[in-house]
Amino acid sequence: MPHPARDTVTLHDVAAAAGVSLATASRVLGASSRTVAPEYRERVLAAAERLRYTADASARAMRGTSGSLALVADDLTTPSIAIMVSAMEREASTTGAFVTVSATHGDPGRQLETIRHVRALRPRALVLTSGRVAADALSGRLLEELRAYERDGGRVVVVGDTDLPFHSVGFDNRGAARRLGEFVAETGHRRIAIIAGAREEAAPAARTAGFVDGLLAGGVAAADVRIAYCAVSREGGLEAGRRLVAEGLAGTDAVVAANDLIAVGALRAFREAGVAVPDDVSLTGFDDIRLAVNVTPRLTTVALPLAYAGAEAIRLALGEPGAVTHVTVEGRLVVRDSTAERAG
């Protein structure tokens, strides 16, 4: 039997799809204080999401006692997002709230569809974590969907680079990367390869620009900086490292990666080729995930306060109403074993 069209879905439709009474569906979707058995509650919520139920009852419930917070992220498999999600869950638990998560792989269309779906679950707040969230995405439809959610009583928080008019927690990727670039130059490195990640991703692009800023400020000639692009993953770093080796690393004394995963992949490629780190070439990462200290040599990197960013996003999501707040967190250079000073 086909589902009813989205704009005609009623509470009766949800109750029928879930196989429960209208009263039970109303208690669940109305955030009633009366207890509903977990089995029935899950069936009702699943049916509401499947049918895209976002009627007035759902909006009223959002203004009530719903304890859920919805996190919509690009990719839930990366170590950096895992750190933030863990911090979000810890912070939310201090208030009795809980976090649900969805992945969109950074695709604006999937972001829009996911946001429409999670609205049916009446989250108290929605945290959108992405490398770049633009107000003009999908001709403004993403912004309008978030505004509609906010008008219904929800709160929006964006973690990442954005021009959306909501609370946000951003990272000073370019500034932190500049400091790392300056360090590489100050320690005597003069021919640099940057493994920049994907061209179209905002955070790697900002970091690459910052690396170049710092290197040039430290006296490295622009002609002695080459940039290689790859997938933002360990496999991407492995492939990029192998390409650099194939093209020739002779004279290159430092490789700067857009994140730790890429750096670890490059480290493997260099080891396979007999290129010693840091004796032959210095190597740096970015983020300071746990893996950065679990490889040999340990990575010089930039430590981003990922756990703080996740907790701060939840504090903004659950805080008292007020003016829109934009928080920018900075990175900290951590020097370890994968870099060595070069003779001037």
Side-chain angles (χ1 to χ4, degrees):
M1 177 179 176
H3 293 149
R6 180 175 181 268
D7 59 357
T8 62
V9 173
T10 68
L11 191 59
H12 291 81
D13 297 319
V14 175
V20 300
S21 69
L22 181 61
T24 296
S26 178
R27 290 184 191 120
V28 174
L29 296 177
S32 170
S33 60
R34 296 184 62 179
T35 301
V36 175
E39 174 191 354
Y40 296 132
R41 177 178 176 80
E42 290 175 6
R43 282 161 54 179
V44 170
L45 292 177
E49 181 178 15
R50 187 169 66 253
L51 299 178
R52 304 181 188 178
Y53 175 74
T54 56
D56 290 343
S58 178
R60 288 196 300 272
M62 200 177 339
R63 299 186 185 102
T65 59
S66 172
S68 68
L69 303 172
L71 169 64
V72 178
D74 284 354
D75 184 357
L76 298 173
T77 65
T78 65
S80 55
I81 194 64
I83 293 171
M84 284 197 287
V85 170
S86 179
M88 288 178 182
E89 290 178 331
R90 286 196 301 272
E91 185 67 25
S93 68
T94 65
T95 67
F98 62 93
V99 178
T100 64
V101 294
S102 303
T104 64
H105 305 289
D107 177 70
R110 292 187 65 172
Q111 286 176 340
L112 178 62
E113 189 67 13
T114 300
I115 290 166
R116 285 174 173 169
H117 283 175
V118 299
R119 284 185 63 194
L121 301 176
R122 314 161 332 282
R124 178 174 173 183
L126 191 154
V127 180
L128 184 58
T129 301
S130 183
R132 171 67 182 167
V133 188
D136 61 358
L138 302 177
S139 301
R141 285 182 292 152
L142 181 62
L143 172 59
E144 181 51 40
E145 188 72 23
L146 291 170
R147 284 192 182 279
Y149 166 76
E150 194 176 52
R151 287 194 297 270
D152 284 344
R155 181 174 296 184
V156 176
V157 179
V158 180
V159 180
D161 184 20
T162 185
D163 60 355
L164 291 172
F166 307 111
H167 294 295
S168 68
V169 179
F171 299 98
D172 182 19
N173 282 300
R174 185 162 184 164
R178 179 188 173 97
R179 287 188 287 277
L180 188 146
E182 290 172 344
F183 164 77
V184 170
E186 289 166 0
T187 48
H189 300 85
R190 283 297 175 266
R191 297 191 65 183
I192 319 297
I194 299 173
I195 306 182
R199 293 176 186 270
E200 68 277 5
E201 293 194 19
R207 294 174 185 182
T208 299
F211 295 148
V212 173
D213 290 344
L215 291 168
L216 298 186
V220 176
D224 290 329
V225 178
R226 58 172 163 163
I227 300 176
Y229 295 94
C230 68
V232 183
S233 65
R234 193 184 316 193
E235 294 73 19
L238 175 61
E239 180 184 341
R242 286 171 173 167
R243 287 202 312 269
L244 289 176
V245 169
E247 293 167 2
L249 279 173
T252 297
D253 48 24
V255 174
V256 178
N259 73 10
D260 293 336
L261 282 180
I262 292 173
V264 170
L267 179 62
R268 178 182 166 187
F270 297 158
R271 185 171 292 131
E272 290 175 348
V275 176
V277 175
D279 294 343
D280 296 329
V281 62
S282 291
L283 176 65
T284 68
F286 204 105
D287 285 339
D288 199 26
I289 60 176
R290 185 173 301 176
L291 188 58
V293 294
N294 288 336
V295 294
T296 302
R298 300 178 306 155
L299 283 176
T300 291
T301 188
V302 170
L304 286 183
L306 299 168
Y308 169 80
E312 185 65 15
I314 297 303
R315 286 191 285 269
L316 289 173
L318 299 178
E320 295 297 321
V324 171
T325 300
H326 301 291
V327 177
T328 301
V329 295
E330 298 183 352
R332 174 176 56 88
L333 176 65
V334 180
V335 180
R336 297 196 180 103
D337 310 324
S338 67
T339 52
E341 290 196 18
R342 306 297 176 196

